[in-house]
Amino acid sequence: MSPQITLQVNGEPRTCNAHTSLPTFLTQLGLNPRLVAVEYNGEILHRQFWEQTEMQPNDRLEIVTIVGGG
């Protein structure tokens, strides 16, 4: 089992297992990965890199839910 790490999500401390992939982490937060945009450590993270992005201690994520309609 991986050790627990702490990171910041929308300014709030969150924990997860070390080396959790971004899509897995989003799912653990109760989010649908297809319906969010993610800023990872100050940079917009393009979806093509999500699977290979693993959560590390002190990472900073800003997660925005995409809302459709008009």
Side-chain angles (χ1 to χ4, degrees):
M1 182 174 210
S2 296
Q4 290 280 301
I5 60 169
T6 301
L7 50 143
Q8 293 288 318
V9 178
N10 294 350
E12 299 290 326
R14 297 289 181 130
T15 59
C16 69
N17 289 331
H19 308 294
T20 299
S21 71
L22 178 56
T24 299
F25 182 62
L26 293 172
T27 301
Q28 290 172 356
L29 292 175
L31 299 169
N32 182 337
R34 294 185 353 243
L35 301 177
V36 297
V38 177
E39 182 183 279
Y40 181 75
N41 294 329
E43 302 282 335
I44 298 296
L45 188 62
H46 294 280
R47 216 168 279 275
Q48 69 193 45
F49 301 114
W50 285 18
E51 278 298 330
Q52 64 201 41
T53 301
E54 295 182 343
M55 301 298 95
Q56 302 294 324
N58 302 312
D59 277 347
R60 291 176 293 109
L61 282 76
E62 293 294 327
I63 303 170
V64 179
T65 303
I66 299 168
V67 178

